[in-house]
Amino acid sequence: MSQESYPELEQFREQWRAEVTARSKAATSTSENPVRKPRSPWLPGPAPEHKLHPAIRPPFTSRSIPDVEAEDYGPEDLESKPDRDLQADIAGPSKPSSSSRSTQEPQSALEHYEKALDAKVDQTYKTKHFPPSSFPLKPTDPNPSNAAVTVPNPAHHSLHGPPRTVSQLIQSFALITITGAPPPTEASPTPPCPISSIPPEVLNEILLRTATTDVAAYMRLALVCRRLAYLALTEESIWKRVCSGPEFGFAAMHYNFAVSIDGTPLPSPVSLAQVSAPTLAPSPPSFPSPTIPLTLTLTSTHPTYLHMFHRRPRLRFSGVYISTVNYVRPGASSPTTISWNTPVHIVTYYRYLRFFRDGSCISLLTTAEPVDVVHHLLKENLHTNHGALPSNVMKNALRGRWRLSGHVAPPTLLSDSTTTPNPNPTISFSHPTKTGTEPHPQPSEEQERELEGTLHIETLGPDSKYTYHLNLALRSASNRPGSTKNNKLVWRGFWSYNRLTDDWAEFGLRNDRAFFWSRVRSWGTA
């Protein structure tokens, strides 16, 4: 292609070169004397400059960046201009003082930063607002190396002595009286506090009645004020009454079976005078008085009645003991379908135990959850005619009786009937003989030697010829100081006795879990 064939193209090139030359000269003069041009409506540009104070001027980089305005070029110029000439126009001549200023500014900023670090501003602030005079002086050497060997190491001691224990803290409240709340303002009258004017004898009687009604509410009084905290935790007369009373104390504990296995009262003891004088009318059956283990005397094991009530094994009647059992067993695949895996079943069932003060109890094994069972664990529901009522969960409930291990009362019933041998010589049971009579429990050497903390339960079986015998140990769910005690029953053995064949069978306890006590407020003290 020859140049003569396109004269119009050559003419356009000449005009374009002239425009580029003129614009280059204009850019050079503009860089020497910059003049702000109006903002182009089609290209974004930098925001208008604002003069900043030298103290807050942004730092400069060491590389000099000239001021280049995008408005110098229109869109048609940017498209038609060669890249080489466009880069040359954008770069332009550098300012003579930009390089020296860009190197001086970072240098001065770095000097100011190092000077601020050397000044230790944090130490200056601490010295000004927290002077050393506001802190007590600590011993420079609490345990000098030249001390005698017999001198104990006091490094662990605080400046105010060793910390006080809870007992020492409670004893420090001995002389504190009950004071009313302060007035809300200086001009307001003092709010009344009637309890502060009650005599000590009346206050102790109020606390005693509260303790015999609800021990948990009585202990919550210790949170009211320091005086009530001292009385609630140190008044031995109140705790002695609680320990010896039938409401929550050991007077309600039975260390010998008090009722028959079906919950009926045992026959009253027969004396020789009644046998020789048949003309006397027989006395009606009555509940034997519960046997208190020995006497409630303070020992080194239980130095106070509060400690005895808290730690000595005892049952609770204001709630229910629940054992939740979960285990997994493999399932069977359907023979009509093809499956790549074998189904797994998660089995969950519950055991419930509720104890009564007369020595009877209720045992229930069911898959129903506690919310559907707890409020129906009543003696009135121990029957099978429930129909579609919510109490239908009690159709499999079993009657039973219980006793705690420990001191056993001497025999009082003249009977020559024998008891069935016990499969476990370390555990003694008393159950009906083949003749169907219910002998009064006879103490054995194992019973007299057994320690406190074991619970013996006898319940009816699913059939009239079977009885169940449970052996549980009283434990605590937590070992933390101050936590609730005697709220857990751990399995020790589970047997079934056949009255007809005189055989014993032991149940495995692989899946069974411990019982945990849960309070039911609607039962009150039960």
Side-chain angles (χ1 to χ4, degrees):
M1 180 182 299
S2 60
Q3 296 181 357
E4 290 85 1
S5 60
Y6 298 98
E8 297 177 356
L9 180 58
E10 292 296 332
Q11 184 180 0
F12 176 75
R13 288 179 177 175
E14 293 296 335
Q15 293 178 358
W16 177 75
R17 290 172 182 170
E19 291 179 0
V20 170
T21 303
R23 289 182 180 275
S24 300
K25 294 180 180 180
T28 304
S29 60
T30 304
S31 61
E32 295 177 357
N33 299 318
V35 178
R36 178 67 61 184
K37 294 186 178 182
R39 189 180 183 87
S40 177
W42 56 80
L43 281 180
E49 291 185 359
H50 298 280
K51 293 184 179 181
L52 302 176
H53 192 273
I56 59 174
R57 182 176 298 172
F60 291 91
T61 58
S62 59
R63 185 174 179 181
S64 177
I65 301 177
D67 297 333
V68 179
E69 297 293 341
E71 294 87 345
D72 294 346
Y73 301 96
E76 69 281 356
D77 297 335
L78 295 176
E79 293 177 0
S80 59
K81 212 170 185 182
D83 295 341
R84 185 179 305 173
D85 297 340
L86 185 62
Q87 293 177 0
D89 291 342
I90 292 177
S94 59
K95 296 181 181 181
S97 61
S98 175
S99 176
S100 60
R101 185 175 59 184
S102 62
T103 56
Q104 292 177 359
E105 290 294 341
Q107 185 74 18
S108 59
L110 184 60
E111 292 177 356
H112 288 300
Y113 183 74
E114 293 177 352
K115 188 180 298 183
L117 291 180
D118 295 340
K120 298 181 179 179
V121 180
D122 56 338
Q123 297 293 338
T124 305
Y125 179 83
K126 182 178 180 181
T127 304
K128 179 179 179 182
H129 297 281
F130 302 97
S133 58
S134 61
F135 298 96
L137 297 178
K138 296 183 179 180
T140 56
D141 192 1
N143 188 24
S145 58
N146 57 355
V149 180
T150 57
V151 177
N153 186 1
H156 63 282
H157 294 172
S158 63
L159 298 176
H160 304 284
R164 292 186 295 181
T165 61
V166 176
S167 301
Q168 294 174 350
L169 181 64
I170 295 299
Q171 291 297 330
S172 64
F173 301 157
L175 302 178
I176 297 178
T177 59
I178 299 177
T179 58
T185 60
E186 295 180 356
S188 302
T190 303
C193 184
I195 196 174
S196 61
S197 58
I198 295 179
E201 298 80 6
V202 179
L203 182 60
N204 287 348
E205 183 65 23
I206 294 174
L207 296 179
L208 177 60
R209 293 178 179 269
T210 304
T212 54
T213 303
D214 190 351
V215 179
Y218 173 70
M219 289 302 298
R220 285 194 293 269
L221 288 176
L223 305 176
V224 176
C225 64
R226 289 179 290 181
R227 178 60 182 174
L228 291 181
Y230 175 78
L231 294 176
L233 297 176
T234 60
E235 190 60 40
E236 284 293 290
S237 61
I238 296 178
W239 285 112
K240 183 178 181 180
R241 169 63 179 82
V242 173
C243 288
S244 60
E247 297 86 2
F248 305 97
F250 299 98
M253 300 298 109
H254 296 279
Y255 296 85
N256 213 342
F257 287 118
V259 296
S260 60
I261 195 170
D262 58 354
T264 58
L266 289 174
S268 59
V270 180
S271 62
L272 295 176
Q274 292 176 345
V275 174
S276 59
T279 57
L280 297 177
S283 60
S286 60
F287 290 100
S289 60
T291 305
I292 303 177
L294 301 178
T295 56
L296 294 177
T297 56
L298 299 180
T299 61
S300 58
T301 305
H302 306 295
T304 61
Y305 287 105
L306 172 60
H307 189 277
M308 179 187 296
F309 180 80
H310 192 59
R311 296 299 183 99
R312 196 167 191 173
R314 60 183 176 87
L315 286 179
R316 300 170 181 267
F317 306 109
S318 59
V320 59
Y321 292 84
I322 304 175
S323 173
T324 304
V325 182
N326 292 286
Y327 69 93
V328 179
R329 66 175 180 85
S333 302
S334 176
T336 60
T337 59
I338 300 176
S339 59
W340 292 94
N341 52 5
T342 302
V344 177
H345 300 284
I346 301 177
V347 182
T348 302
Y349 64 90
Y350 303 89
R351 290 185 182 271
Y352 300 90
L353 284 175
R354 183 185 179 183
F355 302 95
F356 297 92
R357 298 179 185 276
D358 60 354
S360 61
C361 65
I362 298 176
S363 175
L364 177 61
L365 172 64
T366 179
T367 57
E369 296 184 357
V371 67
D372 301 324
V373 176
V374 167
H375 297 287
H376 301 288
L377 286 172
L378 306 173
K379 290 184 179 181
E380 296 80 7
N381 296 327
L382 289 174
H383 56 85
T384 57
N385 301 323
H386 296 282
L389 296 176
S391 60
N392 189 36
V393 294
M394 293 288 293
K395 63 182 179 180
N396 296 323
L398 303 176
R399 298 176 182 267
R401 61 181 182 176
W402 63 271
R403 75 170 181 89
L404 288 175
S405 62
H407 175 66
V408 179
T412 57
L413 181 64
L414 297 177
S415 175
D416 54 355
S417 60
T418 58
T419 57
T420 306
N422 186 358
N424 191 345
T426 60
I427 303 171
S428 59
F429 299 108
S430 178
H431 46 74
T433 58
K434 299 179 184 179
T435 59
T437 60
E438 182 73 26
H440 193 79
Q442 301 293 328
S444 61
E445 295 180 0
E446 289 79 9
Q447 284 180 320
E448 294 179 353
R449 288 197 304 265
E450 67 184 2
L451 300 176
E452 290 183 330
T454 303
L455 175 65
H456 302 281
I457 303 176
E458 295 182 1
T459 65
L460 297 174
D463 195 351
S464 59
K465 65 178 181 179
Y466 290 105
T467 58
Y468 291 151
H469 300 262
L470 293 73
N471 190 348
L472 303 167
L474 279 165
R475 296 290 185 268
S476 301
S478 177
N479 294 326
R480 295 179 302 172
S483 60
T484 305
K485 306 299 181 183
N486 298 319
N487 59 349
K488 181 181 179 181
L489 297 177
V490 181
W491 283 97
R492 295 185 61 182
F494 191 11
W495 295 270
S496 173
Y497 172 68
N498 191 333
R499 298 183 182 183
L500 300 180
T501 61
D502 195 14
D503 293 332
W504 289 86
E506 184 176 1
F507 295 105
L509 301 175
R510 183 182 63 178
N511 296 323
D512 289 277
R513 298 294 181 266
F515 291 84
F516 292 91
W517 179 77
S518 179
R519 184 179 181 183
V520 182
R521 295 186 180 275
S522 60
W523 293 350
T525 57

